[in-house]
């Protein structure tokens, strides 16, 4: 790519494979003056997640599972049209794609360990319950003659 700011890292040493990215350009809506009608500044970046060899198998599996609702025939599509220049939209699309894949390939969080309630706290609670019930029992007028 001419002047693109280098490989977009997903995580660790794994980056977006330039060879497997498909770019499409089209006219963007929005502001831009006379120039806007002739320039293809909207960018569509496609990455075939189902057929890629660039990701470790475990990551690929995770990504396919987590991005299932975003994929069309195993292809992940990201669009960018917020900038007026095609180059900046390309940057935005690539960064967004890398971020999406980074999030989708992240390892699942560790399961939460239940913490044990200290015995002293439990005993104190039970003591105060017993004390409270004694107070309330003492209020009933049985013993006053």
């Amino acid at each position: 790519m001419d002047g693109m700011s280098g490989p977009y890292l997903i995580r660790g040493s794994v980056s977006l494979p330039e060879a497997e990215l498909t770019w499409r350009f089209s006219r963007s809506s929005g502001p831009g003056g006379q120039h806007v009608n002739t320039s293809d500044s909207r960018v569509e970046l496609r990455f075939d997640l189902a057929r890629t060899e660039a990701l470790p198998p475990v990551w690929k599996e995770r990504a396919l599972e987590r991005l299932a609702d975003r994929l069309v025939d195993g292809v992940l599509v990201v669009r960018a049209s917020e900038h007026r220049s095609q180059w900046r939209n390309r940057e935005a699309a690539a960064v967004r794609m890398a971020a999406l894949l980074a999030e989708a390939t992240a390892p699942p969080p560790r399961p939460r360990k239940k913490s044990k309630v200290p015995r002293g706290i439990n005993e104190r609670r039970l003591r105060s319950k017993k004390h409270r019930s004694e107070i309330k029992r003492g209020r009933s007028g049985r013993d006053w003659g």
Side-chain angles (χ1 to χ4, degrees):
M1 294 275 139
D2 50 296
M4 289 291 279
S5 59
Y8 291 93
L9 285 182
I10 295 173
R11 200 172 48 255
S13 61
V14 181
S15 58
L16 275 179
E18 292 284 338
E20 295 183 30
L21 298 177
T22 317
W23 298 89
R24 275 185 53 206
F25 308 102
S26 57
R27 296 207 179 122
S28 183
S29 61
Q34 297 99 323
H35 179 63
V36 78
N37 301 327
T38 57
S39 63
D40 291 341
S41 60
R42 182 193 298 152
V43 174
E44 188 177 282
L45 177 58
R46 297 170 162 271
F47 175 58
D48 196 338
L49 191 57
R51 291 186 194 74
T52 187
E53 296 298 318
L55 298 178
V58 184
W59 287 22
K60 188 169 151 180
E61 223 169 88
R62 258 186 229 145
L64 283 169
E65 194 177 302
R66 291 181 186 167
L67 296 171
D69 51 342
R70 277 198 69 146
L71 299 176
V72 180
D73 299 331
V75 178
L76 181 61
V77 182
V78 170
R79 289 181 192 85
S81 61
E82 59 268 21
H83 301 293
R84 286 191 189 187
S85 87
Q86 185 191 92
W87 188 80
R88 285 177 63 194
N89 279 331
R90 282 164 93 150
E91 288 277 298
V95 167
R96 213 174 294 158
M97 175 79 73
L100 254 176
L101 288 171
E103 201 176 306
T105 57
R110 288 217 174 104
R112 183 181 171 279
K113 269 193 194 163
K114 273 188 174 172
S115 58
K116 207 163 167 260
V117 177
R119 204 169 73 218
I121 288 181
N122 225 354
E123 285 174 356
R124 202 176 318 141
R125 183 180 61 88
L126 293 175
R127 257 203 313 276
S128 78
K129 278 171 71 96
K130 194 168 235 98
H131 179 68
R132 193 92 197 119
S133 81
E134 290 296 322
I135 290 172
K136 290 190 171 189
R137 239 202 5 239
R139 286 184 189 151
S140 68
R142 284 176 300 153
D143 301 340
W144 316 350

